Amino acid sequence: MGDLFEIVDSLENKVRKLLNEVDQLQKQNETLRKELIVLREVGDSDKTALLEWQRKYRSLKTAQAMLGSNDNTTEAKLKINHLIRELDSCIAQLSE
């Protein structure tokens, strides 16, 4: 009979330890989920900032080419030609 009590006691202790470990893992999981959400938001804002800086860089390159820099003259000419085609298209639509 004493062995039975020891076995039950041992099982109770093991179950308590397992429940404790489950609680700890659930807390850790929740913490990691929150951290993931924060990191995703940071990544999204970084991606948005990168796109904005790329747009500014392209604008700066075009402006420098228009001011006479020889580095990006082809790109500036292409941009000007594109703008002229857009203007021609707008004028054609207005005259219809």
Side-chain angles (χ1 to χ4, degrees):
M1 198 71 158
D3 289 339
L4 183 62
F5 287 123
E6 288 176 19
I7 292 173
V8 170
D9 234 10
S10 173
L11 282 175
E12 283 181 352
N13 286 336
K14 289 179 182 179
V15 168
R16 267 193 225 107
K17 287 180 183 178
L18 285 173
L19 289 175
N20 222 3
E21 191 172 332
V22 166
D23 284 342
Q24 289 175 354
L25 290 173
Q26 285 175 338
K27 289 176 184 176
Q28 183 181 13
N29 189 20
E30 185 62 29
T31 301
L32 291 173
R33 285 179 194 266
K34 289 177 183 177
E35 185 178 336
L36 177 62
I37 290 170
V38 169
L39 290 174
R40 283 184 177 162
E41 289 172 356
V42 168
D44 289 343
S45 66
D46 287 348
K47 193 181 297 184
T48 302
L50 175 64
L51 292 172
E52 180 64 21
W53 281 109
Q54 287 173 337
R55 184 190 65 76
K56 288 179 181 181
Y57 176 71
R58 285 190 304 272
S59 296
L60 181 61
K61 278 178 33 179
T62 303
Q64 284 178 339
M66 289 180 184
L67 290 174
S69 172
N70 292 331
D71 296 338
N72 301 312
T73 54
T74 306
E75 188 176 327
K77 288 178 183 177
L78 290 173
K79 182 76 171 176
I80 290 170
N81 286 337
H82 177 72
L83 291 172
I84 290 172
R85 282 193 300 277
E86 283 185 9
L87 283 172
D88 287 342
S89 174
C90 289
I91 291 170
Q93 287 177 0
L94 287 174
S95 61
E96 291 177 355

